[in-house]
Amino acid sequence: MKISAYINSKALCACLLLAGALFTSCSKDKDTGDPMNEAQLINKVTLSTGNEIKIAVGMTQQVSATIDPTDVQYPTLVWTSYNTDIATVDQSGNVTGVGAGQATIHIRQEGNAGDLTTLTVNVKPKATAIALNDRSLYEGTKAPAEAVLTPADAYDNLEWSVADNNIAEIKDDSIVAKQPGTTTITAKTTDGSNLTATAQLTVKKVVPVTGIDLETPGYDLNVGDEANIICHLIPSDATADLLTWTSSNEKVATVNNQGHLTAKGYGTATITATASNGTSKTTTITVGQGTINQDFTTGAGKWYINANHGTYTYDSNGLVVTMKKGNKWRGDWCLGSNSYGVQLNVGTYRYLAIKMTRPGKYIQNTNGQGTIALDTSKGRYEQKTGNGNNRYSILGYEGKESEAPMDQPEVIYFDLQQEFGTNPYYFSKTGLDATKLTTFKLLIADIPSTYAGTYTLYWVHTFKTLDELKAFANK
């Protein structure tokens, strides 16, 4: 009995070991914790939708998967959503939106723990309202088909239609204008809300451009300046909306499709306007150091009035300075300050001109009827003796400035190559002057109370020549 029991115990142990081995061998390929034999592995999964989809809450979308290689022993895929409050998925790849947000679907081979790929699911709210705006396009052009949805982040895959496909059609989510006329466009939600909206679409005739003439600002820009290029088309009723604008060097200047320039860096750039039929015209823009530019009909820029000297307001007609009244009026208009120094390049930009209505009366070198002077950290303009008052020139009245009227806009200007102060000081004529002027202002003072307590500013610019100044002022 003892021998028999011993043999049976040994046999039992052997059987248990064999069974364990067989179990391990048979279950190894299905155990997600152990890697499969290389011949059994799926190497790649390609999804029919790509790796990102957009659906609405309550919507289900079928996603198909193609495996590579196709002849593996275990081709079954396991689909798992780790954000089931946002999206769920079944083992056939049916993805359902549950709540607004983003979920990730993980796809792996059955029996293997590693992901073969993932699917990002963006779940959007259903629309509660939809609206369309009337549109107008030129024949031969296209524009995105867009609707206004509520909420703004609602599911925006819409069904579009056009009443008259001879006038326009919908293609690749764009409205394609075909020939002049008016028709109706309709958009319908596809998220299950069944909302629709309509709007009028007008297709306009294109009048071909046969010639282009470009009018530059008329002065060199400084970094940060903005200006417009005026475009004159031939014929005058040609379709300007289809012009495209380019800059040869966007590090110097950029331009938008209305010809609006923004100066970015010093140098030159060629600006080109091109019509839809290929007709084009170019012009050159220079962004130079040491220029001074401001259009006061758009604001004051870095210019300011001393707080003790008054206030200002501006609109599209100009900037109006209201001077402070004491025994006499005063209202200095300033650019330089301790935090902002003005540097001049008078060798290139010789003339400083200001369009304004002048308070007071022009009597050179005295202040009895008012003072206008260009004052700087290096002294006043042409202050050879006395106070240097009223030593500016008035365009069109050179040599007879006292005859210029004070009740209408005039252009006053200064030749910056002349001396400043009684020392005297001359600014460099060979490049950017090393001096940063902490004082640079149009000093306006001692205006008798019999004159109006305001003056209006229109623009201030520096120019290379008097001819350039005159051409700009006479536009």
Side-chain angles (χ1 to χ4, degrees), residues 244-320:
T244 57
W245 295 77
T246 58
S247 169
S248 66
N249 191 343
E250 293 195 341
K251 291 183 178 180
V252 173
T254 59
V255 62
N256 68 12
N257 273 344
Q258 285 71 50
H260 185 77
L261 296 165
T262 301
K264 298 291 188 178
Y266 301 118
T268 60
T270 300
I271 306 299
T272 303
T274 304
S276 57
N277 63 2
T279 302
S280 65
K281 185 73 172 183
T282 63
T283 190
T284 299
I285 296 297
T286 299
V287 180
Q289 290 180 292
T291 65
I292 296 173
N293 300 307
Q294 182 63 45
D295 179 359
F296 292 120
T297 62
T298 61
K302 291 184 177 181
W303 291 80
Y304 62 95
I305 188 169
N306 188 303
N308 296 323
H309 296 167
T311 60
Y312 71 86
T313 60
Y314 70 88
D315 57 28
S316 58
N317 295 315
L319 186 149
V320 178

Side-chain angles (χ1 to χ4, degrees), residues 305 309-313 319-323 330-333 453-457:
I305 188 169
H309 296 167
T311 60
Y312 71 86
T313 60
L319 186 149
V320 178
V321 176
T322 300
M323 296 180 284
R330 180 156 187 182
D332 297 355
W333 194 238
T454 65
Y455 63 89
T456 302
L457 295 161

Side-chain angles (χ1 to χ4, degrees), residues 157-461:
N157 285 0
L158 306 174
E159 181 182 298
W160 291 87
S161 62
V162 180
D164 188 341
N165 285 315
N166 293 318
I167 294 174
E169 65 179 350
I170 302 295
K171 188 174 182 180
D172 298 329
D173 293 325
S174 292
I175 303 171
V176 180
K178 298 167 72 174
Q179 67 179 32
T182 301
T183 187
T184 299
I185 54 175
T186 301
K188 181 180 179 180
T189 59
T190 61
D191 58 7
S193 59
N194 295 317
L195 303 172
T196 61
T198 62
Q200 180 175 286
L201 171 66
T202 302
V203 177
K204 299 182 288 185
K205 182 177 179 59
V206 173
V207 178
V209 174
T210 59
I212 301 174
D213 187 26
L214 300 181
E215 184 180 329
T216 63
Y219 53 87
D220 286 357
L221 306 179
N222 205 338
V223 173
D225 286 348
E226 297 184 25
N228 292 312
I229 295 180
I230 307 301
C231 182
H232 303 282
L233 299 180
I234 303 171
S236 59
D237 62 343
T239 305
D241 293 352
L242 298 182
L243 288 177
T244 57
W245 295 77
T246 58
S247 169
S248 66
N249 191 343
E250 293 195 341
K251 291 183 178 180
V252 173
T254 59
V255 62
N256 68 12
N257 273 344
Q258 285 71 50
H260 185 77
L261 296 165
T262 301
K264 298 291 188 178
Y266 301 118
T268 60
T270 300
I271 306 299
T272 303
T274 304
S276 57
N277 63 2
T279 302
S280 65
K281 185 73 172 183
T282 63
T283 190
T284 299
I285 296 297
T286 299
V287 180
Q289 290 180 292
T291 65
I292 296 173
N293 300 307
Q294 182 63 45
D295 179 359
F296 292 120
T297 62
T298 61
K302 291 184 177 181
W303 291 80
Y304 62 95
I305 188 169
N306 188 303
N308 296 323
H309 296 167
T311 60
Y312 71 86
T313 60
Y314 70 88
D315 57 28
S316 58
N317 295 315
L319 186 149
V320 178
V321 176
T322 300
M323 296 180 284
K324 186 174 181 179
K325 185 177 181 181
N327 293 328
K328 295 183 178 181
W329 302 102
R330 180 156 187 182
D332 297 355
W333 194 238
C334 310
L335 180 60
S337 68
N338 288 330
S339 60
Y340 175 74
V342 176
Q343 284 185 282
L344 300 177
N345 181 355
V346 305
T348 303
Y349 305 103
R350 179 171 183 169
Y351 296 95
L352 173 74
I354 304 168
K355 185 174 182 179
M356 64 180 298
T357 56
R358 296 175 302 112
K361 186 175 182 180
Y362 183 97
I363 304 175
Q364 194 176 88
N365 231 36
T366 71
N367 61 0
Q369 292 297 312
T371 293
I372 296 180
L374 180 59
D375 196 10
T376 76
S377 305
K378 294 297 184 180
R380 292 187 184 181
Y381 175 75
E382 286 195 339
Q383 189 181 0
K384 301 174 184 178
T385 59
N387 52 29
N389 294 343
N390 301 323
R391 299 193 66 87
Y392 54 90
S393 299
I394 303 177
L395 194 64
Y397 291 90
E398 289 87 346
K400 48 182 180 180
E401 279 78 7
S402 60
E403 299 177 16
M406 291 178 293
D407 57 352
Q408 65 186 41
E410 297 289 348
V411 176
I412 71 171
Y413 65 92
F414 303 87
D415 179 355
L416 299 179
Q417 290 188 0
Q418 304 306 309
E419 62 188 58
F420 281 75
T422 56
N423 284 343
Y425 184 85
Y426 288 89
F427 292 98
S428 171
K429 298 177 184 178
T430 59
L432 196 65
D433 195 87
T435 301
K436 288 189 175 182
L437 303 170
T438 55
T439 297
F440 188 89
K441 63 183 178 182
L442 187 67
L443 185 147
I444 297 180
D446 301 318
I447 308 298
S449 57
T450 54
Y451 295 98
T454 65
Y455 63 89
T456 302
L457 295 161
Y458 301 93
W459 51 255
V460 56
H461 294 294

Side-chain angles (χ1 to χ4, degrees), residues 39-46 65-77 109:
Q40 300 170 320
L41 291 176
I42 297 173
N43 296 325
K44 180 180 179 183
V45 168
T46 303
T66 303
I67 64 173
D68 181 23
T70 59
D71 58 349
V72 294
Q73 185 176 359
Y74 303 106
T76 303
L77 296 176
Q109 182 180 8

